[in-house]
Amino acid sequence: MNKKQINNILIWFSAIVLIILIMTPGLWVVLTAFRPQVDVMAKPAVWIPRNLNLIQFETMLFGGSEGSMGRSPIPVLSYLRNSLIISFTSTFIAVLVGTIGGYGFARHNFKHKNKYFLLIMLTRTIPGISLSLPIFIIFSKIGLIDTHIGIILVFVALNIPFTVWLTDGFFRQIPRAMSEVAMTDGCTKLQAFWHIELPLSRSGIASAGIFAFLISWNEYALVSNLARSTDSKTLTVGLMDFTAQFTINWPGMCALAVFIIIPALILTFMVQKHLVTGLTFGGVKG
Amino acid sequence: MAKVSLQGVSKFYGKVQAVKKIDLEIIDKEFLVLVGPSGCGKSSSLRMIAGLEEIDEGIIKIGDKEMNNLEPRERNVSMVFQNYALYPHMTVEENLGFSLKIAGLAKKEIEQRVNEAAGILDITEFLQRKPSQLSGGQRQRVAMGRAIVRRPDVFLFDEPLSNLDAKLRNQMRTEIKRLHQKVSTTIVYVTHDQVEAMTLADRIVIMKDGIIEQIGTPLDLFERPATKFVATFIGSPSMNMIKASIVKQNNELSMKTNDGVIVPVPKDKQKSVIEGQNISFGFRAEDIVPLKFGQKPSSAWEMQSSVNLAEPLGTETLIFTNFGEIEIVSRMFTPEQVKSNDNLNFALNLDRTYLFDENSGLAI
Ligand SMILES: Nc1ncnc2c1ncn2[C@@H]1O[C@H](COP(=O)(O)OP(=O)(O)O)[C@@H](O)[C@H]1O
Ligand SMILES: [Mg+2]
């Protein structure tokens, strides 16, 4: 065996260990969702699943009574509706505003441009959770607690800096000459943006969109403070419905977790192509 | 049908004035080349004509219409950039047809005009390819094709050949010239390469530090440089240029170099200089020839000097030698072997020696 082969084996081995480390908790969640509570709680742990079932999902979605530990089913469809409305709306607004911002930073010169850019990025150095109290106080004064709009606002603010940063980078990669040619070719500035710069930064915008969506979809800490009822509680916050004073319905909670992961996975796969081309765009030269 | 005129045009970037009140009349169907060293304001001037930069001072007209407040799209000019700037997400065909599509032309008309342009530039076989699947020269052609489909009043080229290798550059140079003959439209062409300027231009505009040094035909500039800068910029190898002051000797004015070499002031210039004036005198390599290998000029000044280096180029040999302490270059047309350290007699043709005032840089 030569040095190169040994190297390869080492790289593979480390990669596998790393993947196992990353995947195990996720797999355990998935597995737990399909197992009865007794198995989950068993000591010593039951590693190999014995009987798998869909009871938790049935209970969650259809409120079936069998084996649901006697607890009333949670309003998962309301939570799903809230999650969808909040995530899609906030992502749409953040990407729209952030892209316009990124374009502005990339293509226009104005006074103190770098300072503004830094300022926007600095807002993200504040830990989100430390904002929850001030946001709560402000929102309670203006009546935004437990509303879609309130939570959407928070996510928009949270996601704009990242979107600005990412799209700014993409717009910068497009040679200025391209929109200039388009403008001598008869385009207005807006047409040049629409026909040339926007399609060329599609990957960047899609990447920004998926990140913004995942952050909104998965956020827990802030929403758990701002959402009080089925009016605005999201799926992630709904996870806590499975805790009672002395017990936690682990399989139920995990079933909901799986339910949360699936749309995120589907969406990620759908834009995966863009994420990859997004990283290799630099290779395209007029 | 379009002449272009610039009247007292300036461009400022913050406090820096990149273009300084230039006046320029470009004749209809003329091939005008703006040439000058990097940073002299060529691109800024071109971009003001295109409408891509604000005109900070002065007026630019195309035809009889003032352009100052018109958007690029309203000026009916086409621009070709150094990096081509083809739209990477469109095929060659879509690239060519884009401006027509924006203008709202019918599909059939677009197709016909795209095919016509593709035919002129010989890119018909690439119409379905993306720019990334083309070579540098092919991309260059597409960029030019995209410019001609619109049938603009003026073509603007900004260093379109500087990304190509030497061989391709020569080839494309010829094609641009041919293209101009075919479409016979006004062309303003920017380059830093004086050879490109000399070979392409009907008239050349030489710029330096935001001002125009001289405007003229290639031959004008070569034969009658208005300034010391133009004299050294045009021609290859560069004109030999030596600093001197005017002294009186035997009732005749002469030029004394800093090393003490004394050369008589050419007869026709005797009255144009005064004693004590600081000047530079310049002469081209072909106007100082090794004596026994060339014809002795009628009005010659002779010197002896040893060869530092000889560069045989086939039909001619460049000889590097010293004039006082300063190295100059001489061009020898006879294919004769010359070695380093050979001692040769050189004759300087005084009739083709140029004098420039050292303070103003202007030709005397
Ligand atoms: N966008 C700009 N901002 C600031 N300075 C610029 C800008 N564009 C050009 N300049 C300056 O203006 C001068 C002329 O530039 P340019 O017209 O590009 O020259 P050229 O094309 O002859 O090389 C240079 O000194 C350059 O640094
Ligand atoms: Mg330039």
Side-chain angles (χ1 to χ4, degrees):
Chain A
M1 237 185 340
N2 62 25
K3 218 168 160 182
K4 203 171 156 193
Q5 281 171 314
I6 296 175
N7 251 345
N8 272 342
I9 289 172
L10 278 180
I11 288 170
W12 272 101
F13 182 74
S14 336
I16 288 167
V17 170
L18 206 65
I19 290 171
I20 289 174
L21 277 176
I22 294 169
M23 298 280 289
T24 303
L27 282 177
W28 197 249
V29 167
V30 174
L31 217 51
T32 303
F34 296 96
R35 301 166 74 180
Q37 178 87 336
V38 272
D39 271 23
V40 174
M41 303 300 283
K43 268 181 197 164
V46 179
W47 290 104
I48 313 294
R50 287 181 299 205
N51 43 9
L52 299 176
N53 59 59
L54 290 171
I55 290 173
Q56 297 306 332
F57 290 92
E58 283 168 22
T59 314
M60 195 170 72
L61 293 172
F62 311 113
S65 56
E66 237 178 302
S68 63
M69 300 185 74
R71 200 171 290 138
S72 60
I74 64 157
V76 72
L77 291 180
S78 303
Y79 294 169
L80 176 64
R81 192 198 60 207
N82 294 337
S83 271
L84 288 174
I85 290 174
I86 289 170
S87 300
F88 276 108
T89 315
S90 70
T91 300
F92 178 78
I93 297 173
V95 168
L96 186 73
V97 175
T99 302
I100 293 170
Y103 184 78
F105 276 110
R107 281 288 189 260
H108 290 273
N109 281 318
F110 45 91
K111 242 183 170 171
H112 305 307
K113 173 161 131 170
N114 293 335
K115 286 177 201 155
Y116 284 125
F117 196 77
L118 192 66
L119 194 71
I120 294 179
M121 294 309 129
L122 281 179
T123 59
R124 291 298 272 124
T125 60
I126 305 164
I129 188 70
S130 71
L131 292 172
S132 64
L133 187 62
I135 292 176
F136 185 86
I137 294 170
I138 294 169
F139 277 15
S140 60
K141 292 211 163 127
I142 55 179
L144 285 181
I145 297 289
D146 203 22
T147 61
H148 287 157
I149 292 181
I151 298 170
I152 287 170
L153 267 180
V154 170
F155 285 155
V156 166
L158 221 53
N159 284 323
I160 281 178
F162 177 74
T163 313
V164 168
W165 176 76
L166 199 75
T167 53
D168 167 74
F170 270 84
F171 287 127
R172 261 171 218 278
Q173 284 189 357
I174 305 171
R176 229 174 241 263
M178 244 171 239
S179 64
E180 291 176 343
V181 169
M183 283 196 291
T184 52
D185 261 357
C187 287
T188 60
K189 206 161 193 158
L190 197 66
Q191 281 175 317
F193 176 75
W194 185 254
H195 289 290
I196 309 298
E197 285 164 311
L198 195 63
L200 289 180
S201 53
R202 207 171 41 198
S203 307
I205 295 168
S207 309
I210 189 76
F211 281 112
F213 180 84
L214 290 179
I215 284 175
S216 314
W217 186 256
N218 289 328
E219 212 286 335
Y220 172 79
L222 284 169
V223 185
S224 68
N225 276 311
L226 300 174
R228 304 273 107 184
S229 71
T230 51
D231 282 352
S232 74
K233 273 170 86 170
T234 59
L235 287 167
T236 44
V237 175
L239 286 171
M240 289 313 273
D241 286 8
F242 291 95
T243 60
Q245 195 170 6
F246 301 112
T247 57
I248 298 177
N249 177 3
W250 288 113
M253 194 185 265
C254 289
L256 182 55
V258 169
F259 190 74
I260 294 172
I261 294 168
I262 287 169
L265 268 186
I266 292 173
L267 207 71
T268 310
F269 276 118
M270 268 164 48
V271 291
Q272 184 198 26
K273 193 188 89 190
H274 287 301
L275 291 180
V276 177
T277 49
L279 298 172
T280 54
F281 175 73
V284 184
K285 254 234 159 125
Chain B
M1 283 296 281
K3 58 180 185 183
V4 180
S5 85
L6 284 71
Q7 298 162 9
V9 168
S10 295
K11 178 74 210 165
F12 293 87
Y13 296 107
K15 289 207 175 64
V16 181
Q17 187 171 6
V19 177
K20 300 172 183 163
K21 284 187 180 290
I22 62 170
D23 293 304
L24 182 58
E25 293 291 327
I26 303 163
I27 304 159
D28 183 34
K29 299 196 173 73
E30 180 176 34
F31 198 131
L32 186 103
V33 176
L34 280 178
V35 69
S38 178
C40 71
K42 310 179 294 284
S43 296
S44 303
S45 308
L46 197 73
R47 292 166 60 81
M48 282 190 283
I49 299 175
L52 298 171
E53 298 283 353
E54 201 78 22
I55 300 161
D56 293 329
E57 222 175 53
I59 296 173
I60 292 183
K61 287 184 183 168
I62 297 179
D64 292 317
K65 207 161 145 205
E66 184 177 316
M67 291 291 128
N68 287 44
N69 295 317
L70 296 187
E71 295 291 319
R73 74 195 147 88
E74 297 165 315
R75 299 190 181 197
N76 202 22
V77 299
S78 276
M79 191 136 171
V80 178
F81 286 86
Q82 177 177 350
N83 58 7
Y84 323 129
L86 300 178
Y87 311 129
H89 56 306
M90 299 183 193
T91 62
V92 169
E93 186 173 18
E94 288 163 341
N95 264 281
L96 294 179
F98 181 70
S99 61
L100 305 179
K101 198 175 121 193
I102 291 291
L105 264 62
K107 257 208 167 77
K108 221 168 160 185
E109 164 112 40
I110 296 180
E111 202 181 298
Q112 183 223 321
R113 274 167 72 169
V114 165
N115 284 332
E116 185 193 17
I120 291 177
L121 285 155
D122 202 15
I123 46 175
T124 310
E125 57 186 305
F126 311 124
L127 280 179
Q128 298 316 319
R129 292 208 201 157
K130 288 273 176 70
S132 56
Q133 298 164 306
L134 300 176
S135 72
Q138 290 161 351
R139 288 180 199 189
Q140 184 60 65
R141 267 175 236 249
V142 176
M144 293 202 290
R146 184 174 57 179
I148 66 173
V149 284
R150 296 184 50 220
R151 301 181 186 153
D153 291 335
V154 184
F155 286 115
L156 306 172
F157 289 87
D158 194 351
E159 312 231 6
L161 303 184
S162 50
N163 275 5
L164 302 176
D165 60 49
K167 191 171 160 224
L168 206 50
R169 200 178 317 150
N170 289 344
Q171 194 185 327
M172 289 307 294
R173 207 167 63 198
T174 319
E175 284 200 31
I176 290 178
K177 186 106 191 176
R178 202 163 283 151
L179 179 73
H180 180 238
Q181 284 164 359
K182 273 185 205 161
V183 298
S184 83
T185 303
T186 315
I187 292 183
V188 186
Y189 186 106
V190 160
T191 178
H192 64 269
D193 179 354
Q194 59 96 13
V195 178
E196 229 169 272
M198 295 290 277
T199 47
L200 284 174
D202 293 329
R203 279 195 310 157
I204 297 178
V205 175
I206 300 199
M207 290 186 71
K208 185 190 166 213
D209 298 334
I211 60 166
I212 292 178
E213 289 269 320
Q214 190 173 0
I215 305 177
T217 64
L219 219 59
D220 271 345
L221 301 192
F222 190 82
E223 290 295 328
R224 287 173 290 282
T227 65
K228 183 176 163 186
F229 173 77
V230 174
T232 46
F233 191 81
I234 295 286
S236 173
S238 205
M239 185 187 280
N240 298 301
M241 194 62 71
I242 294 167
K243 285 192 174 115
S245 57
I246 303 293
V247 295
K248 194 153 212 164
Q249 242 196 3
N250 314 330
N251 251 343
E252 189 191 52
L253 291 174
S254 293
M255 309 179 283
K256 186 176 177 194
T257 71
N258 295 343
D259 323 317
V261 182
I262 294 181
V263 183
V265 171
K267 290 224 161 38
D268 58 327
K269 307 251 165 57
Q270 282 283 344
K271 292 222 170 65
S272 317
V273 291
I274 52 167
E275 204 178 336
Q277 189 177 0
N278 285 322
I279 59 144
S280 284
F281 64 97
F283 46 90
R284 297 197 188 276
E286 52 271 33
D287 296 322
I288 183 161
V289 289
L291 256 182
K292 62 174 172 162
F293 303 126
Q295 224 167 15
K296 187 174 159 176
S298 58
S299 164
W301 174 85
E302 290 173 35
M303 72 167 195
Q304 196 183 48
S305 185
S306 75
V307 175
N308 297 340
L309 191 75
E311 273 183 7
L313 299 172
T315 52
E316 62 188 48
T317 303
L318 295 183
I319 298 171
F320 293 84
T321 185
N322 272 9
F323 190 104
E325 305 278 304
I326 295 166
E327 184 166 78
I328 59 158
V329 55
S330 147
R331 201 196 291 262
M332 177 178 79
F333 289 100
T334 328
E336 214 30 87
Q337 188 72 26
V338 175
K339 303 186 302 293
S340 299
N341 298 324
D342 282 359
N343 245 319
L344 296 177
N345 282 311
F346 291 91
L348 169 64
N349 185 347
L350 288 175
D351 287 339
R352 293 187 53 81
T353 296
Y354 299 88
L355 269 64
F356 303 95
D357 182 74
E358 192 56 21
N359 292 325
S360 66
L362 295 178
I364 295 170

